Structures are given as C-alpha cells and as structure tokens.
Amino acid sequence: MKLGVIGLPNVGKSTLFNAITRAGAQVANYPFCTIEPNVGVVAVPDERLNKLAALYDSKKVTPAVIEFVDIAGLVKGASKGEGLGNKFLSHIREVDAIVHVVRCFNDPNVTHVENTVDPVRDMETINLELIYADIETAQRAVEKAKTAAKSGEKSAQNELALLEGLYEHLAKGNPARNYIYNEEEREIITNLFLLTDKPVIYAANISENDLSKNENELSLVNAVNKRADAEKAEVLVICAKVEEELSIMDEADRDVFLTEYGIKESGLNRLIKKCYWLLGLISFLTAGEKETRAWTITKGTKAPQAAGKIHTDFLKGFIRAEIVPYEILLECGNYNNAKEKGKVKSEGKDYEVKDGDVILFRFNV
C-alpha cells in the first residue's frame, strides 16, 4: 500500500513525514529503507504478531508494511505546470490513497503562504489543482468516446454519456469520488486514473496545546470535518510536532509521553489503521518456528489468491487452506490443541479470508 502525503508549505507536512520515516527506522526485525529521499516504509502496527510469535517461538517477526511518499512541489497552478507541476501530479497518480495535511494551528513564528490560517481554503487550493488536472483527463476521454460513439453501438454511446456526466461533475468543482456510477461503469472510471477518485484522509495538524482539548472545542478542526463530510473524505486529528518527538524515543519513554498527554495510541498508528480501513485492507497471518508474518490483502480475497501473496506456487498448486482465527488459536494455546478441539477448518478455493485468520496453506506443484 502506497500513501501520498501532500499539503501546502508550512502546514506540517514535512514534520509529519519526518516522524513517519524516523518511526520506520525503529521498526524491529524489518529493515527500514528509503527507496528515494522522499519515500519511507514503516510497519503496520499489529499487536497480534508478538503474541503469535511467542506461541510458536518464532525466530523472526515480519509485519505488514506501508509506504509513504512525500509529494513535494504543490503550489497554485500545479495543474498548469507551476512548481514541479506534472511531476507532482504523476506522483499522486501512483499512490493508493492521499494523506492531505492541513494546518489547524496558529503560530506567529510559522508563516503561511497566504498569510492567514484557513484550513478549508487550503483544502480548496489543492483540491482545485487536482480537479483541474482531472478535467483535462476527462475532456480527452470524452473526445475519444465521441469518435467511438459514431459507430452507433449502444455500449459506446453509454460510455460517452457517462464521461460527459463526469466532465460536467468535475467542471462544477466536485471531486471524481463523489460521482455516482454503477458497478458496470466502474472499470471505465478506474482506467482514467483520476487524481480526485482516490480516497483521502485529511490530517488536521493541531498544536501541542490543543492535544488535551476535545475536538469539538477546536473551531479549525470542526471546519475541516464539515468540509470533509461534504467530500466523503476522512479526517484524522494529529499533532505532527508531537509525532516527530515520539519517533525518536524508545518504547518506554514513548509510553510515558503518551500517558502524560492522555493519548492511548500514537497518531501515526491511528493514521495507518485508518488508511487500512479506508482502502478495505485486512491482514491474514502465518506462523511457525522460522517466522511469524502478517500479509496484506483486500477484503473479499479468496484463499488461493491469498496464498499467491506468499508465493505464486502456492496459488498455482493450491489444494486447501487450514484456518484458525487468531483469538481461538490463542485460547487453545497451540495449533495442535486447536485441531484436536475441531477449531481448525479446512477451506477450499471459494473461502474468503478474514482479518486475523492464521493460515497453513496446502499446495502441490
């Protein structure tokens, strides 16, 4: 899973990304890697892994991972080539979802490109650039569809009507993800790779002083929530500065720090979990003496395709999947006990893997 972190200058985007990459450097048993200066890979928090590893006395624990891309170069006019322009937009096309950092704090020592703090205005600035780029994409698609529709084929005419509707929708300043279409039309829209069709999480970046306050007391956050609801987007309240401080602490100090602020879980962990939910992702688990590992799949994935995530041979030679839910395995104490109690189910190719399934795949090649 690849997430693009975007935002205007001085909203806290770089601070949050620094926190993300430093946290990645501290991931146990997973080598942090910076693929490029602006890409970082971090582990998906999953408390089940260590407990499962203890059960199997595993030598290695490998979490699922998530890739964050710090997308720079956004200014007004990006859709027309200003700033990094097309390079910036191409980076967004490559991500699965967008984390849009918006400034929800006042600090006279941190200037704003517009000289005032207004998160809704900032949201609109970026969204309009993405919409402008999508309008150009939709316009090209409409022109192509018009040529195809001259054949008189019903399917071509239906596609043209769909694309013309999309163009009008975008021209009114609406993101593509709000455009209504049916399952049959989904492939046509998906193949356009529209920027505003991607799921969005607005990271409302607040000050340290606001961490102890109820969200309802924060007028800037309320404004972001209202605008996000209208867009069918998600909001996560986070303090990038605190996340950066947490990222350089050891686990014991981090726990004390979180307790002092009255925070149950770091913002980074909440962000990753929310992204998982937003994209419809789950994790199944494999365990043994060599390794306990989490594997990321989308909800609804069938057992053979899940097996293929481990190795293509598992998919080609799939026979069956022996499955026990994580909670039940822990209750039973070990796999053999679970099997004796009839808690291990043998499932075939039509089984949809569930989050937390501990799976042993049987295959033959």
Side-chain angles (χ1 to χ4, degrees):
M1 179 168 59
K2 183 183 287 187
L3 302 177
V5 185
I6 67 174
L8 291 174
N10 293 339
V11 297
K13 180 175 70 73
S14 296
T15 303
L16 179 60
F17 188 74
N18 287 341
I20 291 168
T21 53
R22 286 176 183 168
Q26 293 181 358
V27 173
N29 295 320
Y30 187 85
F32 170 73
C33 60
T34 300
I35 302 169
E36 295 177 19
N38 64 332
V39 178
V41 178
V42 294
V44 175
D46 194 336
E47 59 275 6
R48 299 173 297 193
L49 287 174
N50 288 333
K51 292 180 181 179
L52 198 58
L55 204 65
Y56 281 82
D57 196 23
S58 302
K59 295 177 181 177
K60 184 180 179 182
V61 176
T62 306
V65 296
I66 188 169
E67 188 174 309
F68 285 92
V69 184
D70 184 17
I71 299 175
L74 180 63
V75 294
K76 279 186 179 180
S79 60
K80 303 297 181 183
E82 297 293 331
L84 293 182
N86 293 333
K87 185 177 180 181
F88 158 75
L89 297 175
S90 67
H91 285 165
I92 296 181
R93 292 190 198 282
E94 296 170 1
V95 303
D96 300 303
I98 295 170
V99 179
H100 184 164
V101 184
V102 289
R103 179 170 168 176
C104 291
F105 66 89
N106 287 291
D107 186 340
N109 296 317
V110 181
T111 59
H112 192 286
V113 289
E114 298 289 348
N115 297 318
T116 57
V117 176
D118 185 342
V120 173
R121 178 202 58 212
D122 294 351
M123 293 161 73
E124 290 174 349
T125 297
I126 287 183
N127 288 340
L128 281 175
E129 294 303 325
L130 303 185
I131 288 171
Y132 290 152
D134 282 349
I135 287 174
E136 291 186 10
T137 301
Q139 191 172 28
R140 289 194 296 270
V142 167
E143 293 305 316
K144 185 177 179 180
K146 281 181 178 178
T147 301
K150 289 178 181 178
S151 67
E153 290 186 12
K154 186 66 175 177
S155 60
Q157 292 175 341
N158 289 341
E159 181 171 341
L160 175 59
L162 172 70
L163 294 172
E164 286 179 332
L166 171 65
Y167 176 83
E168 292 175 6
H169 176 82
L170 292 166
K172 292 176 182 177
N174 300 308
R177 61 181 169 274
N178 287 0
Y179 186 54
I180 298 173
Y181 51 87
N182 59 39
E183 282 298 317
E184 293 179 2
E185 297 166 333
R186 179 180 296 277
E187 185 177 357
I188 296 172
I189 301 296
T190 300
N191 287 339
L192 294 176
F193 298 100
L194 299 169
L195 303 175
T196 61
D197 194 36
K198 296 181 183 298
V200 173
I201 292 179
Y202 286 106
N205 185 20
I206 63 174
S207 68
E208 290 177 274
N209 293 333
D210 287 338
L211 266 179
S212 58
K213 297 178 182 177
N214 188 294
E215 284 185 23
N216 294 328
E217 301 176 52
L218 305 175
S219 59
L220 295 178
V221 172
N222 288 333
V224 171
N225 279 323
K226 186 176 179 179
R227 177 56 187 258
D229 286 343
E231 294 180 15
K232 296 182 180 178
E234 294 293 316
V235 177
L236 179 76
V237 179
I238 195 167
C239 178
K241 189 174 181 181
V242 166
E243 294 303 315
E244 190 174 33
E245 291 175 21
L246 285 170
S247 69
I248 59 176
M249 295 181 184
D250 59 35
E251 189 172 351
D253 290 340
R254 193 158 55 241
D255 290 341
V256 172
F257 189 94
L258 289 171
T259 301
E260 288 178 353
Y261 272 99
I263 303 171
K264 294 181 180 179
E265 189 175 24
S266 75
L268 177 57
N269 283 6
R270 290 186 291 116
L271 175 62
I272 293 172
K273 289 179 178 179
K274 196 148 194 168
C275 289
Y276 245 57
W277 173 83
L278 187 67
L279 292 170
L281 300 176
I282 60 173
S283 293
F284 74 89
L285 312 170
T286 56
E289 186 178 339
K290 288 185 178 180
E291 180 185 41
T292 289
R293 183 164 183 166
W295 304 85
T296 301
I297 56 173
T298 55
K299 289 179 182 177
T301 297
K302 300 291 181 67
Q305 285 68 44
K309 292 284 288 186
I310 300 175
H311 198 285
T312 54
D313 285 349
F314 283 32
L315 171 59
K316 292 175 183 176
F318 178 84
I319 299 173
R320 67 181 183 277
E322 295 178 7
I323 298 171
V324 54
Y326 163 80
E327 293 83 1
I328 292 176
L329 180 58
L330 240 59
E331 288 175 8
C332 294
N334 59 53
Y335 183 84
N336 289 335
N337 287 346
K339 199 164 188 176
E340 288 175 6
K341 294 179 180 180
K343 300 297 183 180
V344 178
K345 305 296 182 183
S346 181
E347 301 287 357
K349 62 181 180 179
D350 292 327
Y351 176 77
E352 289 188 4
V353 176
K354 307 295 188 300
D355 184 61
D357 278 350
V358 182
I359 307 179
L360 175 62
F361 290 107
R362 300 293 185 184
F363 68 102
N364 182 33
V365 290

